[in-house]
Amino acid sequence: MSSLTTIEFNLPKNAQTSLIVYNQLGQKVASLIDSKLNSGNHKVTFDAKGLSSGLYFYELRTGGFSQVKKMMVNK
């Protein structure tokens, strides 16, 4: 079974961007992006191979915007 997932998002303008994955306890388990990105559509592949099955959260931060979404890891 694959442990890969793709996270997609769109940036309306160029901005410093971070994409971080957290476990249920709020501990950071992966930092997928921490750089300036151009505007437009973006896709990031996340490999959860080293993680246990369960609920995780990922947070996208860019400029004055922040969004958190749930992600389920099944093994």
Side-chain angles (χ1 to χ4, degrees):
M1 180 181 256
S2 175
S3 59
L4 298 177
T5 191
T6 302
I7 299 170
E8 299 182 39
F9 58 93
N10 182 288
L11 297 179
K13 60 183 180 181
N14 299 354
Q16 182 67 29
T17 303
S18 68
L19 182 59
I20 300 172
V21 179
Y22 298 94
N23 64 17
Q24 292 182 44
L25 300 175
Q27 299 166 321
K28 180 166 62 170
V29 296
S31 180
L32 306 179
I33 298 174
D34 188 15
S35 61
K36 187 168 186 174
L37 296 181
N38 294 327
S39 63
N41 294 320
H42 297 271
K43 292 182 182 182
V44 178
T45 301
F46 174 56
D47 187 351
K49 182 172 57 178
L51 299 178
S52 302
S53 293
L55 182 64
Y56 292 84
F57 301 90
Y58 61 92
E59 179 181 32
L60 175 67
R61 285 189 186 185
T62 180
F65 175 80
S66 177
Q67 182 177 38
V68 176
K69 291 195 174 183
K70 296 178 196 178
M71 173 173 56
M72 193 67 163
V73 173
N74 294 314
K75 294 191 175 185

